[in-house]
């Protein structure tokens, strides 16, 4: 409906981000089968369900030389970022988001994590591979801006049958006082 091609050669970044921006909080955003080439970060600032279906048939492929959101002053980046900034006066609230049935391919994007959760969310049948850093990371700590990698709280996140492989650092990575009460199943 938003014009994405999903053919693996056309840059679908603007279309995917428009789809997410147009979705009201609490809605389900369905992504049809295809390979979606992305050159910028996908940011969830509200709680939605991003539903891809069979993960082998819905692929988000991130360009090696893409422009990805920097995480604080650490010099690291996120291809997909779920934010929660209400505790520090911000407006982002991706709590209870669900990402289901999507494979992420990083093409060894340097200094980039696949998915970064700074809000409690559920990843269900999500694969994340070939990123320069971790495939799936929770990085969250509620402190003053600038002194933590990312503001937020990812406690309570749930990972169901997720795979993080062939990444330049950890498959799964947890950093911060508010990203350690998570459950991994399967």
């Amino acid at each position: 409906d938003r014009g994405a091609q999903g053919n693996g050669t056309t840059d679908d970044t603007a279309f995917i981000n428009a789809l997410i921006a147009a979705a009201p909080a609490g809605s389900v955003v369905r992504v049809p089968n295809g390979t979606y080439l992305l050159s910028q970060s996908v940011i969830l600032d509200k709680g939605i369900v991003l539903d891809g279906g069979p993960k082998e048939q819905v692929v988000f492929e991130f360009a090696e030389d893409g422009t990805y959101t920097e995480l604080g002053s650490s010099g690291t980046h996120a291809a997909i970022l779920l934010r929660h900034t209400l505790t520090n006066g911000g407006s982002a609230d991706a709590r209870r988001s669900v990402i289901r049935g999507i494979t992420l391919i990083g093409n060894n994007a340097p200094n980039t994590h696949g998915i970064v959760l700074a809000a409690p969310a559920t990843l269900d049948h999500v694969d994340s591979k070939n990123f320069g850093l971790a495939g799936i990371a929770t990085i969250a700590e509620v402190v003053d801006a600038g002194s933590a990698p990312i503001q937020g709280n990812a406690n309570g996140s749930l990972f169901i049958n997720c795979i993080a492989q062939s990444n330049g650092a950890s498959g799964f990575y947890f950093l911060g006082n508010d990203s350690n009460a998570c459950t991994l199943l399967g």
Side-chain angles (χ1 to χ4, degrees), residues 39-59:
S39 61
Q40 295 177 5
S41 294
V42 173
I43 299 175
L44 276 64
D45 280 339
K46 57 190 165 199
I48 64 170
V49 176
L50 188 59
D51 190 2
K55 64 183 176 182
E56 299 83 6
Q57 296 177 14
V58 179
V59 176

Side-chain angles (χ1 to χ4, degrees), residues 9-45:
T9 58
T10 303
D11 188 341
D12 289 321
T13 303
F15 304 109
I16 295 293
N17 282 329
L19 176 68
I20 291 168
S27 63
V28 176
V29 175
R30 299 201 191 284
V31 181
N33 293 351
T35 298
Y36 299 88
L37 182 61
L38 303 171
S39 61
Q40 295 177 5
S41 294
V42 173
I43 299 175
L44 276 64
D45 280 339

Side-chain angles (χ1 to χ4, degrees), residues 4-8 12 16 19 29-38 50-62 80 99-105 115 124-129:
Q5 300 296 308
N7 59 19
D12 289 321
I16 295 293
L19 176 68
V29 175
R30 299 201 191 284
V31 181
N33 293 351
T35 298
Y36 299 88
L37 182 61
L38 303 171
L50 188 59
D51 190 2
K55 64 183 176 182
E56 299 83 6
Q57 296 177 14
V58 179
V59 176
F60 283 6
E61 185 170 343
F62 292 86
I80 295 181
I99 299 177
R100 178 175 40 235
I102 297 177
T103 295
L104 311 177
I105 299 175
I115 298 177
D124 182 1
H125 286 84
V126 172
D127 289 358
S128 184
K129 54 188 174 182

